[in-house]
Amino acid sequence: MTEIITEGVLFVVLLATVATLFYYAVLYGTSAGMRVRQTRNRKRLDRAAELACPIHGPQRSDNLVRLTSGDSICPECYKETVHGYLDR
């Protein structure tokens, strides 16, 4: 009985290994994989750029203030806008 269970577990491990190797071969060996990696990288850079205020620098995503228009603004810019204090 244990031989049958062990054989089944090893077969599942073999399938997972083959699927993982196929995934990495497609991801790093084909032009479609390069396109996927470039898209992921572009999205990561876009998210990082959205978190950077041009005046006050990088901000954490949980500190950003969501405006009614759907845009995000850093808390310091929001305070300056609401209270009318501008650094010039």
Side-chain angles (χ1 to χ4, degrees), residues 6-23:
T6 304
E7 183 180 354
V9 168
L10 288 175
F11 182 72
V12 170
V13 168
L14 176 68
L15 287 179
T17 303
V18 169
T20 303
L21 289 174
F22 179 74
Y23 171 76

Side-chain angles (χ1 to χ4, degrees), residues 15-88:
L15 287 179
T17 303
V18 169
T20 303
L21 289 174
F22 179 74
Y23 171 76
Y24 281 113
V26 168
L27 192 63
Y28 291 104
T30 64
S31 61
M34 180 182 294
R35 211 170 300 127
V36 168
R37 288 193 324 264
Q38 288 175 345
T39 302
R40 286 180 186 170
N41 189 34
R42 189 176 313 112
K43 287 180 181 179
R44 184 181 56 84
L45 291 173
D46 287 343
R47 281 192 297 268
E50 288 175 0
L51 297 178
C53 174
I55 299 169
H56 300 105
Q59 304 288 324
R60 292 185 13 215
S61 63
D62 57 345
N63 286 344
L64 294 177
V65 178
R66 177 78 58 189
L67 301 175
T68 56
S69 64
D71 294 333
S72 296
I73 189 171
C74 85
E76 296 300 320
C77 289
Y78 181 75
K79 287 178 192 174
E80 291 173 357
T81 303
V82 169
H83 299 297
Y85 305 128
L86 297 174
D87 295 335
R88 290 188 188 222

